[in-house]
C-alpha cells in the first residue's frame, strides 16, 4: 500500500475505533507527534511498527499493509456499498471469497464498475458545464440575439412598403445575421460532438482550488499558531532548529535540499504536530472538500501555509512588501526564503483591514500542467485546458531565473500586470533534465504603481492582447491560436 493510503487508513480506522492519537501512540510505543506525521504521510511505516499500530487499533495488519488481493477486496466492498448499484452491501467475507476463488472474475467486475463510473462522470461533468461553462452561456446569448435580429428584419421586409434601397439594406441584414447565426450554431454543435469533446469531471485539485478561493487564502488560526511558535523561540534559536528539536530529529549534515526547502519541510512537519487537530477539523467542516483525498491535500496546503507564516510573519512581511513594492527577490533575502515561497506568501496577504495587493497565483510545469492556482474575480484561470500561450508563465521557461513581465488585456477589457519566473525545484544532476516550474503572479493593472515589476513598461503602448483559453478567446487574428473559437 502506498504511504498515502497507509496514513489515511490508519487515521480512518483509529477514528472508527474511537481512539485519540495519543491513545494509539501509547499502544504502539511511539510519540503522538510521530503518529501524526505517519497519518499525514510525512513518515513511512512498515514492519514491526505497522504490526504494533494494527494491534493498537485492533485490526488485522492486512488492512494496513496493502497487498494486491487486499486492495481488490476493498474495492469490491466499496462497489457493494455504493447506493447507486446496491440496496445493501453483502458481507465482506463474500468479496474475500470471490477474490480467493476467482480473482479474474473479481477483476472483471471491478473493470465493469469503473467503466460505468467513467460514463457517469462524463454525464456529471456535462451537466456541470451546461450550468457553469461560459462558452455555452455566451453562445446561447449570441444565438438568441442574432435570431431576434433576423426575425425583426424579416418582419420589416414582409411589410412591403419599402424603398428599393431600404429593401436591399434589410435583405443584407437578414443574410448577414443568418450566416453568423449558422456559424455559431455549427460551432456549438461541434462543441458537443463526442468525437472532439474533452470532458473531464472535477479533479481533487479543483476541490482544493475551490477551498482556497472560498477562504480567501487567509487562515487566521494558522497565523496565530505560527506567532505562538515564534514567541516560544529561545534567544538565537532558529525556527528550523526548534522544529527539529520538537520533532525529535537531527538536522542532516549533508542535505541535498536547499536551506529554504529544508526549513519549509521541517516547519510543515511541525505544523502537522502543533496545529494538526485544528487543521483536520477545519478541512473536515468545509463543504468544498467532499472526499478524504481532497481533505488530505487541503491539510497539506494548510501545513505549508503555517510554515510560511512562521518564516514570514504577516505584519512584518506586509510592511516589507509595501515598502519594497513587492520585490520578491528582496523579500527573499530579507526573510531567507526562495522566490516561490515569497510569491506564495504575497498571495496570502488577505487579512481584513490589513490587506496587501490582491494577486492571482499560478504555477505550471514545462508541459503546461497547472500544479497550483488561485484566481482573481476578473481573471479566471483555466480549468479545462492550458492558458493563453502569451501569458508570461510560459514565456518564463525561455529564460529560467529571469522575471518575464507584461501588461495584458483580456477580451473583456480587464487589464492585468503579469510577472513570472521559471525556478529550479531541485539541484541539477548530470543524468537528469532540469526540473523547472514557472511561478506567476498577476495583479490588476490599477495596482501596477505599487509593484516594482511594473516599472519600465509603458502600459499605453506595450499592452499585449491576451485571452484565457483559445476556445473562449474571440481574437481571430492571433498567431498563437491552437483551437478555433467557439464564438465569433
Amino acid at each position: 500500500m502506498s504511504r498515502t493510503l497507509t496514513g489515511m487508513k490508519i487515521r480512518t480506522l483509529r477514528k472508527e475505533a474511537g481512539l485519540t492519537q495519543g491513545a494509539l501512540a501509547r499502544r504502539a510505543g511511539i510519540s503522538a507527534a510521530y503518529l501524526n506525521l505517519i497519518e499525514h504521510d510525512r513518515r513511512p511505516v512498515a514492519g514491526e511498527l505497522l504490526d504494533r499500530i494494527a494491534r493498537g487499533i485492533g485490526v488485522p495488519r492486512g488492512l494496513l499493509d496493502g497487498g494486491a488481493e487486499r486492495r481488490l477486496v476493498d474495492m469490491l466492498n466499496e462497489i457493494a456499498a455504493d447506493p447507486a448499484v446496491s440496496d445493501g452491501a453483502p458481507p465482506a467475507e463474500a468479496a474475500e471469497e470471490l477474490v480467493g476463488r476467482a480473482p479474474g472474475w473479481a477483476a472483471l467486475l471491478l473493470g465493469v464498475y469503473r467503466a460505468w463510473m467513467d460514463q457517469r462522470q462524463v454525464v456529471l461533468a456535462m451537466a456541470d458545464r451546461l450550468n457553469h461553462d461560459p462558452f455555452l452561456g455566451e453562445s446561447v446569448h449570441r444565438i438568441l440575439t442574432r435570431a431576434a435580429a433576423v426575425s425583426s428584419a424579416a418582419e420589416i421586409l414582409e411589410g412591403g412598403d419599402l424603398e428599393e434601397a431600404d429593401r436591399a439594406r434589410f435583405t443584407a441584414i437578414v443574410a448577414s445575421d443568418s450566416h453568423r447565426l449558422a456559424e455559431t450554431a455549427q460551432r456549438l454543435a461541434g462543441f458537443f460532438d463526442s468525437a472532439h469533446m474533452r470532458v473531464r469531471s472535477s479533479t481533487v485539485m479543483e476541490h482544493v482550488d475551490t477551498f482556497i478561493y472560498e477562504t480567501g487564502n487567509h487562515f487566521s488560526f494558522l497565523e496565530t499558531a505560527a506567532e505562538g511558535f515564534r514567541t516560544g523561540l529561545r534567544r538565537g534559536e532558529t525556527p528550523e532548529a526548534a522544529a527539529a528539536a520538537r520533532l525529535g530529529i537531527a538536522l542532516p549534515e549533508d542535505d541535498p535540499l536547499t536551506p529554504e526547502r529544508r526549513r519549509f519541510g521541517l516547519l510543515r512537519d511541525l505544523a502537522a504536530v502543533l496545529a494538526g487537530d485544528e487543521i483536520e477539523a477545519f478541512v473536515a467542516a468545509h463543504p468544498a472538500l467532499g472526499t478524504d483525498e481532497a481533505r488530505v491535500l487541503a491539510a497539506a496546503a494548510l501545513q505549508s501555509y503555517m510554515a510560511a507564516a512562521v518564516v514570514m510573519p504577516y505584519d512584518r512581511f506586509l510592511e516589507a512588501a509595501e515598502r519594497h513594492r513587492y520585490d520578491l527577490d528582496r523579500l527573499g533575502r530579507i526573510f531567507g526564503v526562495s522566490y516561490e515561497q515569497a510569491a506564495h506568501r504575497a498571495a496570502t496577504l488577505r487579512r481584513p483591514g490589513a490587506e496587501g495587493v490582491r494577486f492571482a497565483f499560478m504555477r505550471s510545469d514545462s508541459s503546461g500542467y497547472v500544479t497550483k492556482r488561485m484566481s482573481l474575480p476578473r481573471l479566471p484561470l483555466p480549468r479545462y485546458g492550458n492558458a493563453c500561450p502569451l501569458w508570461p508563465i510560459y514565456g518564463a521557461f525561455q529564460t529560467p531565473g529571469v522575471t518575464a513581465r507584461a501588461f495584458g488585456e483580456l477580451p473583456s477589457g480587464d487589464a492585468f500586470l503579469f510577472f513570472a519566473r521559471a525556478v529550479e525545484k531541485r539541484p541539477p544532476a548530470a543524468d537528469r533534465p532540469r526540473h523547472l516550474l514557472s511561478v506567476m503572479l498577476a495583479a490588476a493593472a490599477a495596482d501596477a504603481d505599487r509593484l516594482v515589476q511594473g516599472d519600465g513598461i509603458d502600459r499605453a503602448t506595450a499592452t499585449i492582447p491576451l485571452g484565457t483559453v483559445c476556445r473562449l478567446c474571440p481574437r481571430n487574428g492571433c498567431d498563437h491560436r491552437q483551437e478555433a473559437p467557439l464564438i465569433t
Side-chain angles (χ1 to χ4, degrees):
M1 183 177 295
S2 71
R3 286 174 57 195
T4 300
L5 290 176
T6 300
M8 185 187 301
K9 201 137 197 176
I10 289 172
R11 185 169 66 253
T12 300
L13 293 173
R14 171 180 61 78
K15 290 181 177 180
E16 290 178 355
L19 295 172
T20 65
Q21 281 187 338
L24 178 56
R26 286 191 295 273
R27 294 182 182 184
I30 57 176
S31 70
Y34 195 83
L35 177 61
N36 187 288
L37 295 177
I38 290 173
E39 290 190 352
H40 287 84
D41 309 308
R42 300 297 187 189
R43 294 292 183 272
V45 58
E48 196 268 337
L49 175 56
L50 189 61
D51 286 331
R52 297 204 307 269
I53 291 175
R55 288 195 298 270
I57 299 174
V59 298
R61 176 191 167 117
L63 285 175
L64 302 179
D65 63 10
E69 293 79 8
R70 185 71 253 168
R71 288 199 299 270
L72 186 54
V73 169
D74 289 342
M75 287 185 284
L76 290 177
N77 285 328
E78 290 174 10
I79 294 173
D82 187 344
V85 297
S86 175
D87 293 332
E93 294 78 9
E96 294 177 356
E97 184 175 357
L98 176 61
V99 171
R101 290 179 177 271
W105 278 101
L108 178 62
L109 177 61
L110 177 61
V112 171
Y113 177 77
R114 284 174 171 169
W116 175 76
M117 282 295 294
D118 286 345
Q119 293 302 313
R120 188 183 185 196
Q121 290 300 316
V122 167
V123 172
L124 292 175
M126 179 65 75
D128 177 70
R129 295 184 100 178
L130 286 172
N131 287 322
H132 302 104
D133 200 310
F135 298 139
L136 304 181
E138 182 66 12
S139 63
V140 171
H141 173 72
R142 293 200 178 209
I143 286 175
L144 293 175
T145 300
R146 286 168 180 166
V150 170
S151 177
S152 297
E155 288 179 2
I156 294 174
L157 287 172
E158 288 178 357
D161 298 325
L162 293 174
E163 298 291 336
E164 190 62 30
D166 289 335
R167 181 172 295 278
R169 180 164 59 87
F170 282 106
T171 300
I173 291 174
V174 170
S176 175
D177 283 341
S178 295
H179 179 70
R180 292 178 180 175
L181 176 61
E183 286 184 338
T184 302
Q186 287 173 353
R187 288 192 176 91
L188 184 59
F191 183 73
F192 285 105
D193 185 352
S194 61
H196 299 92
M197 188 164 181
R198 298 184 297 277
V199 177
R200 296 185 301 182
S201 57
S202 295
T203 65
V204 173
M205 277 306 304
E206 286 175 2
H207 292 302
V208 177
D209 291 342
T210 300
F211 164 73
I212 296 296
Y213 186 84
E214 290 182 356
T215 55
N217 201 19
H218 178 75
F219 304 93
S220 58
F221 74 99
L222 294 178
E223 300 284 354
T224 300
E227 179 62 30
F229 171 73
R230 287 194 306 271
T231 302
L233 293 177
R234 297 189 299 270
R235 183 179 180 86
E237 185 179 31
T238 64
E240 56 265 41
R246 182 67 180 267
L247 296 171
I249 60 177
L251 292 173
E253 296 181 1
D254 184 17
D255 193 337
L257 298 177
T258 63
E260 297 86 2
R261 292 187 66 194
R262 182 183 65 244
R263 175 195 292 170
F264 257 67
L266 285 168
L267 293 176
R268 280 196 301 266
D269 288 349
L270 182 70
V273 173
L274 296 182
D277 290 341
E278 288 183 275
I279 288 174
E280 193 167 316
F282 190 84
V283 300
H286 200 282
L289 304 170
T291 66
D292 282 343
E293 188 178 2
R295 286 186 283 271
V296 167
L297 289 178
L302 295 190
Q303 291 162 16
S304 295
Y305 182 103
M306 182 173 167
V310 169
V311 180
M312 295 169 277
Y314 191 98
D315 292 328
R316 284 181 51 206
F317 189 85
L318 175 61
E319 189 277 330
E322 289 288 337
R323 184 173 73 253
H324 299 296
R325 300 176 61 224
Y326 294 85
D327 183 334
L328 299 181
D329 292 299
R330 194 161 186 174
L331 292 173
R333 291 192 295 271
I334 292 172
F335 292 94
V337 298
S338 69
Y339 180 92
E340 179 182 356
Q341 290 163 357
H344 201 280
R345 184 57 166 157
T348 70
L349 300 178
R350 307 301 307 149
R351 177 191 293 168
E355 298 180 356
V357 172
R358 190 168 188 177
F359 290 107
F361 180 94
M362 186 172 173
R363 188 180 68 188
S364 171
D365 67 16
S366 56
S367 73
Y369 183 81
V370 177
T371 58
K372 189 175 290 186
R373 63 190 168 191
M374 180 182 176
S375 301
L376 288 176
R378 302 291 295 176
L379 179 63
L381 300 181
R383 177 181 177 185
Y384 293 109
N386 294 337
C388 172
L390 293 174
W391 285 18
I393 191 168
Y394 302 123
F397 284 112
Q398 299 176 22
T399 54
V402 177
T403 302
R405 306 173 297 150
F407 281 102
E409 183 176 284
L410 300 181
S412 63
D414 295 301
F416 298 88
L417 173 63
F418 299 84
F419 53 98
R421 180 180 296 182
V423 297
E424 200 100 42
K425 290 300 292 182
R426 65 172 64 95
D431 60 340
R432 299 287 180 87
R434 299 179 71 182
H435 184 195
L436 295 173
L437 290 178
S438 183
V439 176
M440 183 182 78
L441 292 178
D447 289 325
D449 289 343
R450 299 172 64 183
L451 307 174
V452 69
Q453 293 83 2
D455 291 350
I457 307 176
D458 184 358
R459 179 183 169 189
T461 61
T463 296
I464 300 173
L466 303 177
T468 49
V469 295
C470 284
R471 291 184 69 85
L472 186 61
C473 180
R475 303 186 194 279
N476 288 319
C478 179
D479 294 333
H480 296 266
R481 179 174 293 282
Q482 297 297 322
E483 295 181 287
L486 178 67
I487 302 163
T488 58

